[in-house]
Amino acid sequence: MKRYYTIINYLLCSICLFWMTACSGMLDDMRPKDQIPQDMLSESDLEKLLNGVYAEMEELIFKFYMDGDVKGENFKAGPGFSLNDPILMAPSSKEVLSQWQKCFTTLKQVNFLVETYEASSNKENQVVKQTGGTGYYFRALIYYHLVTRWGGAPILRKRTYNVVPISPETEVWSFIKEDLTKAEGLLPEFTDRFYVSLSACDALNAKVCLSLKDYTNAAAYADKVIAKSNFALSATSTEYANAFVSNSSSKELVFALANKRSTSLLLFYQTVNDIDPTWDYSPSTDCYGHLYDDTTVKKQDIRAKAVFGADNSRIIKFPNGSTGQFVTNEQPSQTPIVVTRVAEMYLIKAEALGATNGLSTLKEFMNKRYASVSLPSSMTDTEFQNQILDERHRELYAEGQRWYDLKRTNRLDLFTSLNGRNYLMYYPVPQSERDLAGEENYPQNPGY
C-alpha cells in the first residue's frame, strides 16, 4: 500500500511539474501592454492609451504653469515660503533638473502614441488619426516648452535609451513646425475644449510663428481660431473668471486639460490661494498695486476683480472654493489646466499685424476688457508694442507667459530688478545631462 501511494505521489508531482512548466511557458508569452504589436491595438486600447497620455501632459503643463511668472517677476514669496532669485539658476539646480526630466519622461509616453499611429495599417480610422494627431500636437507642445527655455534640446522621434546629442535651437523649432504640420492633417474640428482639436493646433502654430517672427502666418493661424463660432471673448468680470473653474464651459477656452483626478491632485489654489495659512506665491507689490490701473486710453479693467481680491497676498484667479472668492468653484481640486484661450489669439494677431494694421484688432479685444477705451488713431511701433505687452501682462497673469514675452521681444528694460545684472535668457542644461552626453555635444549657446 505504501508503495502504491508513493507511485501516486510521484505521478501527481510529475503532473504538477509539467503543468508549472507549461504555465511558465504561457507566462513567458504574455507580454505587457506596451509590448503588444502596435498595429494590433484595438480602438478601446487606443482610447485608454490616449487617456493615460492626457494625464501625463496634465502633470507636465502644471509643472511649468506659473514658471514664467516666477521668472518674470510677477510674484513674490507667499506666506511661509522663500523665493529664490530667478537669475541664480545653475546646471546643478534641482528645479531645472526636475523640469528637464519631466519633459523627457512625458515625451516617452507621447512618442508611444506617435509610434502607434505610424505603425498602424489602418491610418484612415478616426481613432487612429486622433491618436496620431494628438501625439504630434503634444510632442510639439513639449518641445515648445523646451525650446523657449533651453534653446537647443535632444530631438527624439522615437523612444530610445541611447544618449542623443542636443540639436541647435533652429532645428528644434523646425521639428516643432514639422509635427504641427502632421497634426493639422489628422486632428478633427473642435467639439470639446478638453480634447486636442484642429483649433488647438492652429493656436499653437500661431504662438510658434510669432516666436519665429513669421508674422504673416502668425496672424493667419490666430485668425483661423478667432473666426470659429465656438470661441468668444468674455465681456464681464464673471465671464472672465469662469474660464478658471472646474467643468468650465467658457467660450474663452480653445484647449484645456480637464484635470479631473481622484488621486495625485494638481492643485492651483495651493500654490497661490490656499485655504491653509501658507502657500508658495503672492502677487508682487508692483503687480498687486498697479497691474490693472486705469490709463489715459483704458479704464475699469474687468479682469482686476477676477485676479486680485482684498488680500494682497493672494491671487484669486484660481478660486479655492472657500469664502472671499470672486466666483464659485464647485471642485477647486479640478481647476482646468488652460493651454490656450481665444484672448491670446487676438493679441497674437494684433502683434503680428503691427502698429499700422493691428490697431483695429487690438481695439476689438480691448473693448471687451474695459468699460471705456480711447486708443489713438495711430501709434509708433514702440507705443504699439508697449500696449501689446501691457495687455498680455494683464490678460495672462499667473498663466506662465511673462518671462518669455519679455525674452522674445527683447524688452529686458521691463524687468524691474536687474540693477545692472545680466538676466538669464536660457535655462542651464542640467549638469547630469551634460556629464552623460559630454560637453562636446553642446552647441555654443548662452544658456549652456
Side-chain angles (χ1 to χ4, degrees):
M1 181 65 71
K2 182 178 180 182
R3 183 168 178 268
Y4 172 78
Y5 281 118
T6 301
I7 292 171
I8 294 296
N9 287 334
Y10 176 78
L11 288 173
L12 287 172
C13 288
S14 298
I15 291 169
C16 287
L17 180 62
F18 174 78
W19 180 83
M20 290 170 66
T21 303
C23 185
S24 175
M26 291 170 63
L27 289 171
D28 284 343
D29 288 337
M30 292 175 66
R31 296 171 293 183
K33 178 67 79 177
D34 68 355
Q35 292 300 308
I36 293 175
Q38 290 170 309
D39 59 352
M40 294 179 64
L41 291 173
S42 68
E43 287 192 13
S44 176
D45 291 329
L46 291 178
E47 288 170 355
K48 292 173 184 174
L49 180 62
L50 280 167
N51 288 339
V53 172
Y54 271 95
E56 285 288 326
M57 288 300 299
E58 285 178 351
E59 293 179 7
L60 175 68
I61 303 304
F62 182 80
K63 190 174 192 66
F64 282 111
Y65 202 83
M66 297 182 190
D67 184 54
D69 293 281
V70 175
K71 305 297 191 297
E73 302 181 336
N74 276 343
F75 297 159
K76 64 182 180 183
F81 184 74
S82 177
L83 186 61
N84 293 328
D85 186 338
I87 295 179
L88 299 181
M89 286 188 294
S92 58
S93 165
K94 291 181 180 179
E95 178 193 21
V96 169
L97 176 62
S98 175
Q99 290 173 330
W100 176 273
Q101 288 179 332
K102 186 60 181 176
C103 283
F104 288 99
T105 55
T106 306
L107 180 62
K108 181 180 178 182
Q109 304 303 317
V110 170
N111 267 342
F112 185 68
L113 280 187
V114 172
E115 292 170 39
T116 299
Y117 167 75
E118 292 178 347
S120 175
S121 57
N122 190 18
K123 288 188 172 64
E124 292 309 306
N125 176 277
Q126 189 55 48
V127 176
V128 174
K129 290 176 71 174
Q130 181 78 40
T131 299
T134 301
Y136 289 127
Y137 169 84
F138 277 151
R139 192 163 70 180
L141 185 58
I142 291 170
Y143 273 98
Y144 178 82
H145 280 284
L146 282 166
V147 75
T148 54
R149 290 170 173 82
W150 283 278
I155 294 176
L156 305 182
R157 295 177 180 271
K158 295 182 180 297
R159 292 166 298 159
T160 180
Y161 291 103
N162 295 331
V163 176
V164 178
I166 286 182
S167 295
E169 182 172 346
T170 53
E171 292 182 17
V172 180
W173 283 115
S174 295
F175 182 52
I176 293 170
K177 289 292 296 176
E178 177 188 328
D179 270 355
L180 289 175
T181 298
K182 292 175 181 176
E184 276 186 271
L186 298 171
L187 289 170
E189 293 287 350
F190 176 93
T191 57
D192 190 321
R193 58 190 52 81
F194 296 121
Y195 288 92
V196 177
S197 66
L198 181 58
S199 292
C201 184
D202 289 337
L204 183 53
N205 249 320
K207 289 166 70 77
V208 169
C209 290
L210 188 71
S211 295
L212 295 174
K213 295 181 170 52
D214 178 3
Y215 296 126
T216 299
N217 281 317
Y221 276 117
D223 203 39
K224 286 175 68 176
V225 179
I226 292 168
K228 294 287 177 65
S229 60
N230 308 95
F231 314 117
L233 288 168
S234 301
T236 69
S237 301
T238 300
E239 287 177 2
Y240 179 82
N242 280 328
F244 305 97
V245 299
S246 60
N247 295 314
S248 175
S249 59
S250 171
K251 295 188 77 171
E252 283 271 350
L253 300 182
V254 178
F255 175 52
L257 295 155
N259 194 24
K260 293 187 176 181
R261 295 163 167 254
S262 56
T263 60
S264 302
L265 302 179
L266 304 174
L267 304 175
F268 279 99
Y269 71 84
Q270 213 171 57
T271 303
V272 294
N273 182 24
D274 208 347
I275 54 178
D276 290 331
T278 63
W279 51 92
D280 295 347
Y281 306 121
S282 294
S284 71
T285 301
D286 184 65
C287 284
Y288 186 82
H290 303 294
L291 181 59
Y292 297 106
D293 279 356
D294 288 350
T295 73
T296 56
V297 301
K298 49 194 181 186
K299 300 183 187 304
Q300 298 178 45
D301 193 325
I302 68 166
R303 295 164 291 200
K305 291 189 292 186
V307 176
F308 298 138
D311 184 344
N312 64 7
S313 66
R314 293 178 184 270
I315 299 163
I316 63 168
K317 192 171 187 175
F318 310 101
N320 63 21
S322 186
T323 58
Q325 308 296 289
F326 181 66
V327 293
T328 301
N329 194 1
E330 298 292 346
Q331 292 285 340
S333 65
Q334 296 182 358
T335 297
I337 304 171
V338 177
V339 178
T340 309
R341 293 190 290 111
V342 71
E344 187 181 4
M345 296 300 104
Y346 276 88
L347 293 172
I348 286 175
K349 180 183 175 182
E351 182 177 348
L353 291 174
T356 302
N357 299 311
L359 203 54
S360 61
T361 300
L362 180 59
K363 185 173 183 178
E364 182 182 358
F365 169 79
M366 290 172 65
N367 280 337
K368 294 288 188 178
R369 294 304 197 234
Y370 298 92
S372 65
V373 176
S374 54
L375 287 174
S377 58
S378 64
M379 293 185 190
T380 67
D381 289 341
T382 299
E383 288 171 339
F384 187 70
Q385 186 183 69
N386 288 341
Q387 283 292 339
I388 292 289
L389 288 174
D390 184 48
E391 284 307 310
R392 288 186 64 91
H393 197 187
R394 293 171 182 242
E395 182 68 32
L396 301 168
Y397 182 82
E399 294 181 59
Q401 304 219 36
R402 182 62 172 172
W403 174 81
Y404 185 59
D405 277 346
L406 300 187
K407 171 185 172 177
R408 69 177 178 79
T409 57
N410 197 32
R411 289 298 303 273
L412 305 191
D413 57 297
L414 297 178
F415 285 112
T416 60
S417 65
L418 289 182
N419 298 322
R421 302 183 297 169
N422 292 321
Y423 206 89
L424 190 60
M425 288 290 98
Y426 289 92
Y427 289 21
V429 173
Q431 190 61 49
S432 58
E433 175 73 14
R434 299 165 69 98
D435 294 341
L436 185 67
E439 295 291 338
E440 68 277 5
N441 290 318
Y442 289 83
Q444 295 302 309
N445 186 306
Y448 310 137

mmCIF file of all heavy atoms in Angstrom, residues 349-371:
data_model
loop_
_atom_site.group_PDB
_atom_site.id
_atom_site.type_symbol
_atom_site.label_atom_id
_atom_site.label_comp_id
_atom_site.label_asym_id
_atom_site.label_seq_id
_atom_site.Cartn_x
_atom_site.Cartn_y
_atom_site.Cartn_z
ATOM 1 N N LYS A 349 -2.612 88.054 -33.077
ATOM 2 C CA LYS A 349 -2.969 88.637 -34.380
ATOM 3 C C LYS A 349 -2.611 90.120 -34.428
ATOM 4 O O LYS A 349 -2.003 90.596 -35.399
ATOM 5 C CB LYS A 349 -4.462 88.438 -34.651
ATOM 6 C CG LYS A 349 -4.915 89.021 -35.983
ATOM 7 C CD LYS A 349 -6.417 88.860 -36.185
ATOM 8 C CE LYS A 349 -6.877 89.552 -37.469
ATOM 9 N NZ LYS A 349 -8.345 89.450 -37.660
ATOM 10 N N ALA A 350 -2.965 90.844 -33.379
ATOM 11 C CA ALA A 350 -2.668 92.274 -33.354
ATOM 12 C C ALA A 350 -1.166 92.520 -33.414
ATOM 13 O O ALA A 350 -0.684 93.357 -34.191
ATOM 14 C CB ALA A 350 -3.269 92.909 -32.100
ATOM 15 N N GLU A 351 -0.403 91.795 -32.598
ATOM 16 C CA GLU A 351 1.050 91.966 -32.578
ATOM 17 C C GLU A 351 1.656 91.640 -33.930
ATOM 18 O O GLU A 351 2.557 92.343 -34.414
ATOM 19 C CB GLU A 351 1.669 91.090 -31.493
ATOM 20 C CG GLU A 351 3.172 91.245 -31.372
ATOM 21 C CD GLU A 351 3.769 90.427 -30.238
ATOM 22 O OE1 GLU A 351 3.005 89.907 -29.396
ATOM 23 O OE2 GLU A 351 5.024 90.298 -30.196
ATOM 24 N N ALA A 352 1.177 90.558 -34.549
ATOM 25 C CA ALA A 352 1.734 90.134 -35.832
ATOM 26 C C ALA A 352 1.414 91.135 -36.949
ATOM 27 O O ALA A 352 2.229 91.349 -37.851
ATOM 28 C CB ALA A 352 1.194 88.753 -36.194
ATOM 29 N N LEU A 353 0.258 91.759 -36.887
ATOM 30 C CA LEU A 353 -0.111 92.740 -37.917
ATOM 31 C C LEU A 353 0.617 94.060 -37.747
ATOM 32 O O LEU A 353 0.766 94.836 -38.703
ATOM 33 C CB LEU A 353 -1.623 92.973 -37.898
ATOM 34 C CG LEU A 353 -2.491 91.801 -38.369
ATOM 35 C CD1 LEU A 353 -3.972 92.108 -38.170
ATOM 36 C CD2 LEU A 353 -2.216 91.469 -39.835
ATOM 37 N N GLY A 354 1.076 94.347 -36.532
ATOM 38 C CA GLY A 354 1.868 95.543 -36.291
ATOM 39 C C GLY A 354 1.029 96.794 -36.095
ATOM 40 O O GLY A 354 -0.204 96.779 -36.197
ATOM 41 N N ALA A 355 1.713 97.882 -35.807
ATOM 42 C CA ALA A 355 1.045 99.127 -35.441
ATOM 43 C C ALA A 355 0.125 99.649 -36.537
ATOM 44 O O ALA A 355 -0.946 100.193 -36.268
ATOM 45 C CB ALA A 355 2.094 100.192 -35.103
ATOM 46 N N THR A 356 0.508 99.466 -37.783
ATOM 47 C CA THR A 356 -0.286 100.012 -38.891
ATOM 48 C C THR A 356 -1.587 99.251 -39.098
ATOM 49 O O THR A 356 -2.659 99.846 -39.264
ATOM 50 C CB THR A 356 0.536 99.996 -40.198
ATOM 51 O OG1 THR A 356 1.734 100.751 -40.001
ATOM 52 C CG2 THR A 356 -0.269 100.593 -41.348
ATOM 53 N N ASN A 357 -1.510 97.912 -39.067
ATOM 54 C CA ASN A 357 -2.668 97.092 -39.420
ATOM 55 C C ASN A 357 -3.322 96.395 -38.223
ATOM 56 O O ASN A 357 -4.429 95.863 -38.353
ATOM 57 C CB ASN A 357 -2.259 96.030 -40.442
ATOM 58 C CG ASN A 357 -1.738 96.641 -41.728
ATOM 59 O OD1 ASN A 357 -2.366 97.533 -42.289
ATOM 60 N ND2 ASN A 357 -0.587 96.175 -42.187
ATOM 61 N N GLY A 358 -2.647 96.385 -37.081
ATOM 62 C CA GLY A 358 -3.158 95.621 -35.951
ATOM 63 C C GLY A 358 -3.970 96.411 -34.949
ATOM 64 O O GLY A 358 -4.517 95.838 -33.999
ATOM 65 N N LEU A 359 -4.073 97.714 -35.147
ATOM 66 C CA LEU A 359 -4.740 98.564 -34.160
ATOM 67 C C LEU A 359 -6.220 98.209 -34.003
ATOM 68 O O LEU A 359 -6.767 98.199 -32.894
ATOM 69 C CB LEU A 359 -4.579 100.027 -34.554
ATOM 70 C CG LEU A 359 -4.717 101.076 -33.446
ATOM 71 C CD1 LEU A 359 -3.785 100.784 -32.284
ATOM 72 C CD2 LEU A 359 -4.449 102.473 -34.003
ATOM 73 N N SER A 360 -6.880 97.875 -35.106
ATOM 74 C CA SER A 360 -8.307 97.556 -35.035
ATOM 75 C C SER A 360 -8.542 96.246 -34.273
ATOM 76 O O SER A 360 -9.520 96.130 -33.519
ATOM 77 C CB SER A 360 -8.909 97.463 -36.436
ATOM 78 O OG SER A 360 -8.277 96.442 -37.195
ATOM 79 N N THR A 361 -7.650 95.279 -34.459
ATOM 80 C CA THR A 361 -7.766 94.017 -33.726
ATOM 81 C C THR A 361 -7.540 94.246 -32.239
ATOM 82 O O THR A 361 -8.261 93.696 -31.398
ATOM 83 C CB THR A 361 -6.751 92.987 -34.261
ATOM 84 O OG1 THR A 361 -6.995 92.753 -35.643
ATOM 85 C CG2 THR A 361 -6.862 91.669 -33.505
ATOM 86 N N LEU A 362 -6.550 95.061 -31.913
ATOM 87 C CA LEU A 362 -6.283 95.367 -30.508
ATOM 88 C C LEU A 362 -7.480 96.084 -29.882
ATOM 89 O O LEU A 362 -7.885 95.770 -28.756
ATOM 90 C CB LEU A 362 -5.030 96.234 -30.382
ATOM 91 C CG LEU A 362 -4.633 96.636 -28.957
ATOM 92 C CD1 LEU A 362 -4.374 95.412 -28.089
ATOM 93 C CD2 LEU A 362 -3.409 97.554 -28.977
ATOM 94 N N LYS A 363 -8.059 97.008 -30.615
ATOM 95 C CA LYS A 363 -9.211 97.739 -30.075
ATOM 96 C C LYS A 363 -10.414 96.808 -29.893
ATOM 97 O O LYS A 363 -11.138 96.902 -28.883
ATOM 98 C CB LYS A 363 -9.576 98.900 -30.998
ATOM 99 C CG LYS A 363 -10.698 99.772 -30.430
ATOM 100 C CD LYS A 363 -10.931 101.012 -31.277
ATOM 101 C CE LYS A 363 -12.001 101.891 -30.638
ATOM 102 N NZ LYS A 363 -12.241 103.133 -31.400
ATOM 103 N N GLU A 364 -10.624 95.891 -30.840
ATOM 104 C CA GLU A 364 -11.716 94.931 -30.719
ATOM 105 C C GLU A 364 -11.559 94.101 -29.443
ATOM 106 O O GLU A 364 -12.530 93.854 -28.725
ATOM 107 C CB GLU A 364 -11.731 94.011 -31.948
ATOM 108 C CG GLU A 364 -12.864 93.008 -31.955
ATOM 109 C CD GLU A 364 -12.823 92.085 -33.168
ATOM 110 O OE1 GLU A 364 -11.928 92.247 -34.033
ATOM 111 O OE2 GLU A 364 -13.682 91.182 -33.241
ATOM 112 N N PHE A 365 -10.325 93.704 -29.164
ATOM 113 C CA PHE A 365 -10.047 92.947 -27.946
ATOM 114 C C PHE A 365 -10.286 93.807 -26.703
ATOM 115 O O PHE A 365 -10.982 93.398 -25.765
ATOM 116 C CB PHE A 365 -8.599 92.447 -27.967
ATOM 117 C CG PHE A 365 -8.125 91.891 -26.662
ATOM 118 C CD1 PHE A 365 -8.482 90.613 -26.263
ATOM 119 C CD2 PHE A 365 -7.337 92.654 -25.813
ATOM 120 C CE1 PHE A 365 -8.064 90.098 -25.046
ATOM 121 C CE2 PHE A 365 -6.911 92.156 -24.593
ATOM 122 C CZ PHE A 365 -7.272 90.866 -24.211
ATOM 123 N N MET A 366 -9.749 95.009 -26.700
ATOM 124 C CA MET A 366 -9.819 95.857 -25.510
ATOM 125 C C MET A 366 -11.241 96.324 -25.201
ATOM 126 O O MET A 366 -11.590 96.546 -24.045
ATOM 127 C CB MET A 366 -8.873 97.051 -25.671
ATOM 128 C CG MET A 366 -7.404 96.641 -25.620
ATOM 129 S SD MET A 366 -6.256 97.989 -26.047
ATOM 130 C CE MET A 366 -6.548 99.130 -24.704
ATOM 131 N N ASN A 367 -12.066 96.436 -26.219
ATOM 132 C CA ASN A 367 -13.457 96.820 -25.990
ATOM 133 C C ASN A 367 -14.198 95.797 -25.138
ATOM 134 O O ASN A 367 -15.213 96.129 -24.505
ATOM 135 C CB ASN A 367 -14.182 97.010 -27.325
ATOM 136 C CG ASN A 367 -13.890 98.358 -27.954
ATOM 137 O OD1 ASN A 367 -13.518 99.305 -27.268
ATOM 138 N ND2 ASN A 367 -14.042 98.444 -29.268
ATOM 139 N N LYS A 368 -13.706 94.556 -25.123
ATOM 140 C CA LYS A 368 -14.308 93.518 -24.288
ATOM 141 C C LYS A 368 -13.728 93.498 -22.877
ATOM 142 O O LYS A 368 -14.308 92.885 -21.977
ATOM 143 C CB LYS A 368 -14.081 92.143 -24.925
ATOM 144 C CG LYS A 368 -14.797 91.935 -26.239
ATOM 145 C CD LYS A 368 -16.299 91.773 -26.032
ATOM 146 C CE LYS A 368 -16.988 91.367 -27.326
ATOM 147 N NZ LYS A 368 -18.434 91.156 -27.137
ATOM 148 N N ARG A 369 -12.630 94.160 -22.686
ATOM 149 C CA ARG A 369 -11.932 94.068 -21.409
ATOM 150 C C ARG A 369 -12.035 95.331 -20.552
ATOM 151 O O ARG A 369 -11.656 95.301 -19.375
ATOM 152 C CB ARG A 369 -10.444 93.764 -21.646
ATOM 153 C CG ARG A 369 -10.158 92.384 -22.267
ATOM 154 C CD ARG A 369 -10.748 91.281 -21.431
ATOM 155 N NE ARG A 369 -10.179 89.971 -21.733
ATOM 156 C CZ ARG A 369 -10.891 88.898 -22.057
ATOM 157 N NH1 ARG A 369 -12.209 88.991 -22.157
ATOM 158 N NH2 ARG A 369 -10.299 87.746 -22.286
ATOM 159 N N TYR A 370 -12.549 96.417 -21.102
ATOM 160 C CA TYR A 370 -12.619 97.687 -20.361
ATOM 161 C C TYR A 370 -14.002 98.312 -20.498
ATOM 162 O O TYR A 370 -14.715 98.090 -21.486
ATOM 163 C CB TYR A 370 -11.571 98.672 -20.885
ATOM 164 C CG TYR A 370 -10.151 98.201 -20.717
ATOM 165 C CD1 TYR A 370 -9.518 97.483 -21.738
ATOM 166 C CD2 TYR A 370 -9.447 98.456 -19.543
ATOM 167 C CE1 TYR A 370 -8.215 97.036 -21.590
ATOM 168 C CE2 TYR A 370 -8.135 98.004 -19.392
ATOM 169 C CZ TYR A 370 -7.528 97.290 -20.411
ATOM 170 O OH TYR A 370 -6.238 96.848 -20.253
ATOM 171 N N ALA A 371 -14.312 99.112 -19.523
ATOM 172 C CA ALA A 371 -15.555 99.886 -19.601
ATOM 173 C C ALA A 371 -15.454 100.952 -20.680
ATOM 174 O O ALA A 371 -16.439 101.274 -21.352
ATOM 175 C CB ALA A 371 -15.856 100.526 -18.253
#
